[in-house]
C-alpha cells in the first residue's frame, strides 16, 4: 500500500527525495508497472551488497524489453558461497560493472513514480531503500506489488483451503510461464513480468 503524501510527510524520520526525483512522490496515473529484481552478495537485506539490478516496464500486456535496465554492479564484496551457487556472480565477473551509486541513479531515473512489482519484492525493496537512504537520504515512495500475493488472492477466491506452491518455480509452472535464465536479474524480471501479465489477464476475465 502506498501512503498518501500528506501522511508520509508526517511520519517520524520522513525525508523528501531530492529535486531530481521529487516527482516520485506524485500520484501515478498511467497503466505501466516496473518489474524489478536485485541479486546480492548474501541473502540478508541488512548486509547484502548489490551485485546486479534489472528492471523492465510492463505496459498493458507488453513487456518493453528494448528499454530494459540490466546492470552488473562493480563490487569487491565478498560473496557468500550460497549466493554464488544461486546467481553465479563471482568477484571477477563484476570487474567491468557500474558503480553502485550509478546503478541506483539509473534505476531511480528509470522507475520514476510508477508502481514497482516483483517476486519477494520486500527483499528488493529493502535493498534498494538501504542504498537510496545512504546515497540520497530518502526511501522509495512508490507503490509496491507482490506477484505471489496476487496469485494467492486469485487461487483462494475459489478454493480457500488450497495448498499452494509459492516458490518462483511453482508459480511459473502453474501459470505456464517459462523460467528464463533463473537467478539472473534480467531473466527473473522477464519471467516475473510474464506472471504478472497472466495474473492480470485472469483478474480481468
Amino acid at each position: 500500500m502506498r501512503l498518501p503524501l500528506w501522511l508520509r510527510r508526517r511520519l517520524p524520520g520522513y525525508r523528501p527525495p531530492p529535486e531530481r526525483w521529487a516527482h516520485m512522490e506524485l500520484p501515478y496515473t498511467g497503466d505501466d508497472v516496473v518489474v524489478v529484481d536485485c541479486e546480492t552478495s548474501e541473502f540478508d537485506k541488512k548486509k547484502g551488497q548489490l551485485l546486479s539490478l534489472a528492471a523492465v516496464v510492463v505496459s498493458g500486456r507488453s513487456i518493453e524489453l528494448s528499454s530494459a535496465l540490466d546492470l552488473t554492479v562493480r563490487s569487491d564484496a565478498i560473496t557468500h558461497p550460497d549466493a554464488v551457487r544461486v546467481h553465479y556472480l563471482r568477484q571477477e565477473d563484476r570487474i567491468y560493472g557500474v558503480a553502485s551509486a550509478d546503478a541506483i541513479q539509473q534505476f531511480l531515473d528509470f522507475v520514476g513514480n510508477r508502481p514497482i512489482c516483483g517476486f519477494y519484492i520486500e527483499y528488493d525493496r529493502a535493498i534498494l531503500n538501504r542504498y537510496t537512504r545512504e546515497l540520497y537520504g530518502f526511501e522509495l515512495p512508490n507503490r509496491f506489488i507482490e506477484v505471489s500475493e496476487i496469485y494467492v488472492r486469485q487461487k483462494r477466491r475459489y478454493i480457500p483451503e488450497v495448498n499452494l506452491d509459492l516458490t518462483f518455480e511453482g508459480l511459473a509452472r502453474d501459470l505456464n510461464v517459462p523460467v528464463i535464465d533463473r537467478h539472473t536479474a534480467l531473466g527473473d524480471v522477464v519471467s516475473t513480468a510474464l506472471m504478472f501479465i497472466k495474473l492480470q489477464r485472469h483478474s480481468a476475465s
Side-chain angles (χ1 to χ4, degrees), residues 53-92:
L53 170 61
V56 67
V57 174
V58 173
S59 184
R61 295 186 179 181
S62 298
I63 301 172
E64 307 296 335
L65 268 177
S66 62
S67 61
L69 194 69
D70 182 20
L71 302 171
T72 298
V73 176
R74 186 172 64 250
S75 169
D76 58 2
I78 297 173
T79 309
H80 192 283
D82 290 343
V84 173
R85 282 192 288 270
V86 169
H87 53 57
Y88 306 109
L89 280 168
R90 303 164 301 170
Q91 197 164 346
E92 55 266 37

Side-chain angles (χ1 to χ4, degrees), residues 3-179:
L3 294 175
L5 180 56
W6 65 267
L7 180 56
R8 289 201 303 275
R9 286 176 171 167
R10 284 174 167 76
L11 293 176
Y14 164 81
R15 290 186 65 182
E19 184 177 356
R20 176 169 175 172
W21 297 296
H23 64 284
M24 294 181 73
E25 290 199 306
L26 300 176
Y28 180 66
T29 57
D31 298 320
D32 291 352
V33 169
V34 179
V35 181
V36 173
D37 184 71
C38 301
E39 301 294 343
T40 55
S41 61
E42 58 180 294
F43 305 126
D44 183 332
K45 61 187 179 183
K46 294 181 179 178
K47 299 178 183 177
Q49 298 299 303
L50 189 62
L51 303 184
S52 65
L53 170 61
V56 67
V57 174
V58 173
S59 184
R61 295 186 179 181
S62 298
I63 301 172
E64 307 296 335
L65 268 177
S66 62
S67 61
L69 194 69
D70 182 20
L71 302 171
T72 298
V73 176
R74 186 172 64 250
S75 169
D76 58 2
I78 297 173
T79 309
H80 192 283
D82 290 343
V84 173
R85 282 192 288 270
V86 169
H87 53 57
Y88 306 109
L89 280 168
R90 303 164 301 170
Q91 197 164 346
E92 55 266 37
D93 299 324
R94 309 189 304 260
I95 295 172
Y96 301 107
V98 301
S100 57
D102 187 29
I104 294 299
Q105 188 177 96
Q106 288 189 52
F107 170 74
L108 294 174
D109 288 340
F110 183 87
V111 71
N113 64 338
R114 294 179 289 201
I116 298 172
C117 174
F119 185 90
Y120 192 22
I121 194 63
E122 279 305 310
Y123 181 80
D124 299 298
R125 181 181 191 173
I127 295 295
L128 292 166
N129 274 338
R130 203 177 79 222
Y131 277 87
T132 57
R133 275 197 309 271
E134 291 172 359
L135 291 165
Y136 303 113
F138 79 103
E139 295 188 354
L140 296 167
N142 308 62
R143 181 166 71 95
F144 282 79
I145 301 169
E146 172 56 53
V147 163
S148 65
E149 289 181 3
I150 303 173
Y151 175 79
V152 169
R153 283 199 304 271
Q154 290 191 11
K155 287 290 182 179
R156 292 192 170 154
R157 184 186 307 164
Y158 304 105
I159 311 175
E161 303 303 321
V162 67
N163 290 321
L164 301 172
D165 181 354
L166 297 180
T167 62
F168 189 94
E169 291 78 6
L171 263 69
R173 184 167 50 250
D174 191 41
L175 294 171
N176 196 26
V177 163
V179 175

